[in-house]
Amino acid sequence: MGNEMGSATPYETAKGRRYRARYRKPDGTETEKRGFVTKREAELFLSTVTVAKATGSYIDPALAKVRIGDLAAVWLESKQPPMLKPASFGPLVTSWNAHVAPVWGARELTSIHKSEVQAWVSDLATRKSRSVVMRALGVLAGVIDMAVDDQRIATNPARNLRTLPQRSVAKPRVYLTHEQVHILATNSAHPTLVLVLAYTGLRWGEATALRVRHVSPARRRFSIEENAVLVKWEIHVGTPKTHERRSVPYPERLAPLIKAACADKPPEGLLFGNGATHMKRESDARSWFAVAVRRAQKEDPSIPRLTPHDLRHTAASLAISAGANVKAVQRMLGHASAAMTLDTYADLFDDDLDAVAARLNDAMIDPPEPTHPER
């Protein structure tokens, strides 16, 4: 065996003769790996090292002797705002502290096997929801991805697991009719906000972040530039979810209500609420929205239980039933792509297709009478 490849030499242990493989790393320093039972095994290992060095795929084993907790600190630091929004970063920290660190924090990177990760995911799935499990797995996999990029390890044992928690059946979406929206608004402490949510499709954070300067009365448009998100009882204001500004129209019938909401407020004043502090989305049964729903249900028992976000679905439904195409609905809702809009509201566009067929039928010239096929 030449010096370029390295050398395989014997040494004695309590269990008998073993072999060590000595070789030089790409940086020229010498290292060794012990424990080979035969000289042939040691030489085969040296062959793989030689090929890895020649192809640039060599992984220094010493770099994998690092704790996952130390890597996670660097990974989380790289995700902090403004790289991620607070609403996205906060759950990562919570997931690391609650589910990942207790199991993997003290483990060395090189010691982790895919079978262990699979067992952890399967066990966690018996106690937590799919979303919690997948976020925890994503955190662990993300940390190890960073190690793969740094060439500390060749492959990620937390990727491509054979078994993952099954997706639960999605709950049916709530779509209100125009009449039901009217009843809900008239029974609400904030009727204008209810109507804006139901007829523009704005997210709660986008609507409550609207300022007077974001309103264009002449064009009847909202300029969506900010998003107010509640994170651990604190409002964080940032860009919209897709990071892109967009212009969303509101119906002419809402113009007097929007004008009244803007009255006596400066350009930087918030459109909804007292103009100075962002309205917080409350989820308990005593919140103004929950009270409005209960009052509306007494007037119309067909109104289902719903949340402010369900009014976004209602806006999509009303827009599609009014003849809006998928691109228009995408722009209104601020979806990243038309494909996302179709995936989300495929059930609504089925009805739209029926309407298209009906319109084509009305415009179509009468076809010729059917004839019997030639025999």
Side-chain angles (χ1 to χ4, degrees):
M1 182 187 305
N3 290 334
E4 184 67 25
M5 177 179 257
S7 61
T9 57
Y11 63 97
E12 299 298 327
T13 72
K15 295 182 179 181
R17 176 169 291 189
R18 295 291 185 269
Y19 290 83
R20 63 169 67 87
R22 287 198 177 100
Y23 61 95
R24 290 188 181 279
K25 296 188 289 187
D27 63 5
T29 59
E30 189 174 275
T31 188
E32 66 177 37
K33 180 176 174 64
R34 292 172 170 251
F36 296 101
V37 177
T38 66
K39 185 176 182 180
R40 176 64 176 164
E41 289 178 357
E43 290 175 342
L44 287 173
F45 170 76
L46 289 170
S47 297
T48 62
V49 169
T50 301
V51 171
K53 289 194 295 183
T55 59
S57 59
Y58 174 78
I59 301 293
D60 187 347
L63 295 179
K65 293 182 178 180
V66 59
R67 294 191 316 155
I68 292 294
D70 295 330
L71 292 174
V74 177
W75 184 78
L76 287 171
E77 180 73 22
S78 73
K79 301 295 181 182
Q80 285 197 85
M83 299 307 293
L84 287 181
K85 294 183 178 183
S88 298
F89 178 70
L92 295 184
V93 176
T94 299
S95 183
W96 165 257
N97 291 331
H99 305 299
V100 186
V103 177
W104 305 106
R107 289 284 297 275
E108 281 193 355
L109 175 65
T110 188
S111 73
I112 298 176
H113 300 287
K114 187 182 288 286
S115 59
E116 293 180 289
V117 179
Q118 179 67 75
W120 169 64
V121 166
S122 298
D123 175 67
L124 192 59
T126 65
R127 296 177 280 111
K128 300 295 179 181
S129 68
R130 183 182 190 276
S131 61
V132 170
V133 174
M134 296 305 294
R135 182 178 290 117
L137 176 60
V139 169
L140 178 62
V143 171
I144 301 179
D145 277 342
M146 183 182 69
V148 173
D149 291 342
D150 289 344
Q151 293 189 304
R152 291 179 178 273
I153 191 172
T155 59
N156 189 337
R159 292 292 183 193
N160 302 315
L161 299 185
R162 290 186 179 275
T163 307
L164 294 173
Q166 293 290 319
R167 292 183 182 273
S168 57
V169 178
K171 295 180 180 179
R173 290 191 181 87
V174 172
Y175 303 125
L176 299 186
T177 65
H178 291 286
E179 293 76 13
Q180 290 172 328
V181 171
H182 176 75
I183 292 171
L184 179 63
T186 55
N187 281 281
S188 167
H190 301 280
T192 303
L193 177 55
V194 169
L195 292 170
V196 165
L197 293 173
Y199 283 103
T200 66
L202 297 185
R203 299 175 178 91
W204 171 267
E206 294 171 343
T208 56
L210 282 173
R211 301 179 187 276
V212 172
R213 63 178 173 84
H214 294 150
V215 181
S216 174
R219 299 178 62 221
R220 294 194 302 278
R221 295 257 179 165
F222 295 130
S223 178
I224 309 305
E225 302 176 15
E226 297 180 355
N227 191 33
V229 181
L230 185 64
V231 181
K232 294 183 177 179
W233 305 109
E234 182 180 349
I235 293 289
H236 292 262
V237 180
T239 58
K241 191 172 183 179
T242 56
H243 299 283
E244 293 184 1
R245 295 181 180 182
R246 70 186 192 280
S247 179
V248 177
Y250 56 85
E252 186 176 1
R253 289 178 186 271
L254 290 185
L257 297 176
I258 302 301
K259 182 179 179 180
C262 292
D264 301 323
K265 291 180 181 176
E268 288 298 317
L270 295 167
L271 186 63
F272 297 111
N274 61 15
T277 58
H278 293 86
M279 292 180 65
K280 292 183 179 180
R281 179 175 171 177
E282 301 169 343
S283 57
D284 61 66
R286 295 171 295 176
S287 71
W288 67 268
F289 191 84
V291 170
V293 171
R294 289 197 297 272
R295 287 176 177 170
Q297 288 172 330
K298 289 182 179 179
E299 188 172 335
D300 180 356
S302 70
I303 294 177
R305 291 180 58 184
L306 71 154
T307 67
H309 190 75
D310 288 322
L311 293 179
R312 179 169 164 84
H313 301 320
T314 290
S317 172
L318 297 178
I320 292 168
S321 64
N325 61 45
V326 65
K327 288 297 294 183
V329 177
Q330 176 209 340
R331 290 194 296 269
M332 180 181 80
L333 298 179
H335 282 165
S337 67
M340 179 179 178
T341 305
L342 282 171
D343 287 343
T344 305
Y345 298 111
D347 55 330
L348 296 177
F349 281 101
D350 282 342
D351 295 336
D352 194 41
L353 288 175
D354 292 336
V356 169
R359 287 194 294 270
L360 287 173
N361 183 74
D362 293 340
M364 183 178 179
I365 298 173
D366 288 339
E369 292 293 327
T371 60
H372 294 292
E374 294 183 5
R375 299 184 185 277

